[in-house]
Amino acid sequence: MNKTKINKVVLAYSGGLDTSIIVKWLQDTYQCEVVTFTADIGQGEEVEPARAKAKAAGVEEIYIEDLREEFARDFVFPMFRANAIYEGEYLLGTSIARPLISKRLVEIANKVGADAISHGATGKGNDQVRFELNAYALDADIQVIAPWREWDLSSRESLMDYAQKHGIEIDYQKQNKKSPYSMDANLLHISYEGDILEDPWAEPEDDMWRWTVSPENAPDKAEYVELTYSKGDIVAINGQAMSPASVMEDLNQRAGAHGIGRDDIVENRFVGMKSRGCYETPAGTVMLKAHRAMESLTLDREAAHLKDELMPKYANMVYNGFWFAPEREMLQAAIDQTQTVVNGVVRLKFYKGNVIVVGRQSDNSLFSEKIATFEDDQGAYDQKDAAGFIKLNALRLRLKSL
């Protein structure tokens, strides 16, 4: 096969089996220099060991970056202002991480003078689309190398054979103990696919879950938590100011301890197939519930309803890889404008897998107890006005029934 001449490529690198093999494969196939980029976006595992593995593979330029705050502040929080959820269930944990990784791949490629970027996403999944669409949106001329679409390695066994043949050091003891699931983790979620989950009828094994206890084993005593909002974003927990990443880390721990955030979904991938995946999203589950509670008190009815109508479009854009597309940016500007009044405190109760809203207050509240009361409102609302309101709205219905 004729290969485009590549002198240098930046690889999204985890140090695991797949990307360790990709380093060698790129070096041999393209006769090029490989630069590795490893992002810490809150996956909960040490990223520094990737440095030693990359060096052992002959990599001289190695980038390891802590992007947790940028991820939470510039990607997750804006998405939750939209209350984005895909197909009614998926909180977009993997989807929202890809634009940031693509952004840094392109920036590093430009910095080091690389000809291309590369990733380890397979040719069956959504991630290849997300990585590449987001990259092209930032650099129209960037070249992308996707080894899974080029090589003839098609299974875990073939990858292990390749590693052994080419002297790629793999921690075999760790590999033998590795989870049978394909997993992806960041501050927002951890996902599980593969193995028994490929049967939509099979119940996930309880020891699969990493961040949450089962609701059956959660504490018998509820925990109350107060979240403070400013312009649609959580800025404090129980009165203690926190950064976006710290908010998510705290909520992951608190909610996970109460069995909150598990989901088992069959979803429609952008490439066309259905896939079954399980997700743990403790912080995200809380954030969605609490944000909607805060908006219920502060947003005008029509603004709130229009947001709900636009949300599925926004969620599809994130899921399909169009974060940097003009239509997502246009919607984000409209959404952010609505959030100027989304300020206040939401009180929640965590109990055995449930997030229960038990209170909300705001200086921007549109709720009027004087008008809404079932008691004497002292003339604040004239109930006689409702008769004309009903007749006008019934006019077309009455005409139809004649």
Side-chain angles (χ1 to χ4, degrees):
M1 188 191 309
N2 292 325
K3 299 290 182 186
T4 302
K5 178 58 181 172
I6 300 291
N7 295 308
K8 184 183 287 190
V9 59
V10 181
L11 169 66
Y13 180 74
S14 69
L17 176 64
D18 294 26
T19 53
S20 294
I21 287 172
I22 289 173
V23 170
K24 175 65 174 173
W25 183 86
L26 287 170
Q27 292 167 337
D28 289 352
T29 304
Y30 286 89
Q31 298 294 303
C32 66
E33 178 184 350
V34 177
V35 177
T36 60
F37 162 58
T38 305
D40 180 359
I41 50 176
Q43 52 265 53
E45 297 179 354
E46 282 290 323
V47 294
E48 196 57 37
R51 188 184 305 277
K53 292 180 181 179
K55 282 184 177 179
V59 177
E60 295 182 359
E61 288 189 86
I62 300 168
Y63 289 81
I64 296 179
E65 299 178 350
D66 184 347
L67 301 178
R68 286 174 294 175
E69 285 296 348
E70 182 178 359
F71 176 52
R73 181 190 65 238
D74 296 343
F75 295 85
V76 177
F77 272 37
M79 183 177 74
F80 273 84
R81 290 177 213 141
N83 299 323
I85 187 166
Y86 178 70
E87 294 188 336
E89 290 195 79
Y90 176 40
L91 288 167
L92 297 163
T94 299
S95 314
I96 193 59
R98 297 326 185 207
L100 175 56
I101 295 172
S102 297
K103 172 175 171 283
R104 287 303 295 142
L105 282 172
V106 169
E107 289 170 347
I108 293 169
N110 290 332
K111 177 181 177 181
V112 304
D115 307 294
I117 61 173
S118 182
H119 60 76
T122 74
K124 284 187 175 182
N126 295 308
D127 278 343
Q128 58 178 338
V129 182
R130 296 166 182 152
F131 280 131
E132 295 176 36
L133 289 181
N134 284 305
Y136 289 132
L138 299 172
D139 185 341
D141 298 321
I142 196 74
Q143 295 187 67
V144 181
I145 300 173
W148 278 97
R149 300 202 299 257
E150 295 186 25
W151 65 22
D152 56 2
L153 305 175
S154 59
S155 67
R156 180 175 171 75
E157 290 71 24
S158 62
L159 292 177
M160 295 295 286
D161 289 344
Y162 184 97
Q164 188 171 14
K165 178 180 178 181
H166 293 276
I168 300 170
E169 187 174 341
I170 300 294
D171 187 341
Y172 283 95
Q173 185 177 11
K174 182 178 178 182
Q175 290 298 325
N176 291 335
K177 294 180 179 179
K178 184 180 176 181
S179 165
Y181 307 103
S182 172
M183 297 162 58
D184 175 77
N186 57 52
L187 271 178
L188 182 54
H189 88 159
I190 183 167
S191 66
Y192 308 87
E193 293 181 323
D195 198 60
I196 65 168
L197 300 181
E198 292 184 353
D199 176 4
W201 184 251
E203 181 178 0
E205 300 162 318
D206 196 61
D207 62 2
M208 175 190 78
W209 306 99
R210 303 288 183 90
W211 290 359
T212 60
V213 302
S214 67
E216 296 93 330
N217 295 327
D220 293 328
K221 183 179 179 181
E223 179 180 359
Y224 287 82
V225 179
E226 293 187 358
L227 304 181
T228 302
Y229 277 86
S230 176
K231 297 182 179 178
D233 293 342
I234 301 170
V235 295
I237 298 178
N238 293 335
Q240 180 180 349
M242 291 186 181
S243 70
S246 296
V247 163
M248 296 183 67
E249 289 167 350
D250 185 284
L251 290 177
N252 275 328
Q253 187 277 324
R254 289 179 190 269
H258 289 275
I260 292 165
R262 293 185 178 185
D263 217 346
D264 184 336
I265 302 169
V266 174
E267 69 196 62
N268 290 294
R269 287 182 179 172
F270 192 23
V271 296
M273 71 183 73
K274 288 186 182 291
S275 67
R276 191 271 189 98
C278 291
Y279 301 93
E280 285 179 289
T281 322
T285 302
V286 173
M287 289 164 65
L288 179 65
K289 185 84 170 182
H291 187 258
R292 291 195 67 92
M294 195 77 268
E295 286 191 328
S296 73
L297 196 65
T298 58
L299 272 196
D300 169 77
R301 181 189 71 183
E302 294 307 312
H305 289 184
L306 182 57
K307 272 193 79 215
D308 281 348
E309 291 175 22
L310 294 173
M311 182 278 287
K313 293 182 179 294
Y314 182 105
N316 284 346
M317 292 172 198
V318 178
Y319 186 86
N320 293 339
F322 292 95
W323 179 262
F324 294 115
E327 62 271 27
R328 200 283 309 177
E329 294 171 344
M330 179 190 77
L331 277 187
Q332 192 72 58
I335 289 162
D336 290 351
Q337 194 280 329
T338 69
Q339 301 298 289
T340 58
V341 296
V342 185
N343 310 302
V345 180
V346 176
R347 189 167 73 247
L348 306 167
K349 182 164 67 174
F350 296 169
Y351 185 68
K352 291 193 178 295
N354 295 293
V355 184
I356 305 162
V357 177
V358 294
R360 69 288 275 164
Q361 63 183 14
S362 173
D363 291 340
N364 299 105
S365 174
L366 298 177
F367 181 88
S368 171
E369 184 177 352
K370 185 176 181 180
I371 292 176
T373 181
F374 282 100
E375 305 303 327
D376 183 7
D377 63 18
Q378 298 178 331
Y381 179 92
D382 188 345
Q383 298 193 35
K384 295 184 180 66
D385 291 344
F389 175 80
I390 294 169
K391 284 184 177 180
L392 285 174
N393 277 280
L395 179 59
R396 65 185 180 88
L397 303 177
R398 297 171 73 182
L399 290 171
K400 179 177 179 293
S401 71
L402 289 176

